[in-house]
Amino acid sequence: METSIEIEVRPTEIDVMGHVNNAKYLEYMEWGREDWYNKVGLPFDEFTGMNIGTVTVNININYRKEARLGERLTVNTVPLRKGRTSYVLRHVIDNERGERVADADVTSVTIDLKTRKSVPVPDALAEPFEK
């Protein structure tokens, strides 16, 4: 399942170069992941109820074009692949002109909240990767 959110670039997200600070793109992608989890029926409390946490272990991000104050950005999130204890979500950020601003593959691992050790991806999370 692919999801999409829209963001308007705010003054607090701009750096001294006059464009979105590189770290803000990671936040935009995190918002996209949270939206994806919610739309596939796995809000935070569902994970907690399963005694499962998700930990980001790798992000490979490509900064393609600067975004500036007031621009509207769309963050698309799509499941890419799933392993035994890890999975990858792809984020693509485009501006209102349809130009690619940034994209990234984000690898996360599922962990047992008590032991803090990796565990197999639960069926409820694996399902969106199989469609």
Side-chain angles (χ1 to χ4, degrees), residues 10-73:
R10 300 170 295 194
T12 57
E13 298 163 353
I14 302 299
D15 65 17
V16 297
M17 295 295 296
H19 57 218
V20 173
N21 179 274
N22 66 294
K24 292 298 179 178
Y25 290 99
L26 298 175
E27 282 187 46
Y28 297 164
M29 292 175 187
E30 185 173 1
W31 299 342
R33 277 193 304 285
E34 182 179 348
D35 179 68
W36 185 84
Y37 291 132
N38 288 337
K39 288 181 177 163
V40 299
L42 289 170
F44 181 73
D45 60 338
E46 288 291 319
F47 279 111
T48 303
M50 292 186 288
N51 190 44
I52 297 287
T54 62
V55 180
T56 298
V57 296
N58 185 275
I59 297 177
N60 293 304
I61 188 168
N62 300 297
Y63 300 98
R64 309 240 182 232
K65 185 171 185 65
E66 68 180 353
R68 299 180 65 99
L69 181 63
E71 281 191 304
R72 292 190 128 324
L73 305 176

Side-chain angles (χ1 to χ4, degrees), residues 1 79-83 121-131:
M1 165 190 240
L80 197 58
R81 64 184 170 274
K82 179 194 74 65
V121 173
D123 291 343
L125 179 56
E127 187 178 316
F129 288 86
E130 295 164 0
K131 292 181 179 179

Side-chain angles (χ1 to χ4, degrees), residues 51-55 84-85 109-120:
N51 190 44
I52 297 287
T54 62
V55 180
R84 191 178 77 76
T85 63
V109 170
T110 50
I111 65 165
D112 179 293
L113 290 174
K114 291 184 178 92
T115 66
R116 310 305 272 188
K117 303 287 184 192
S118 64
V119 294

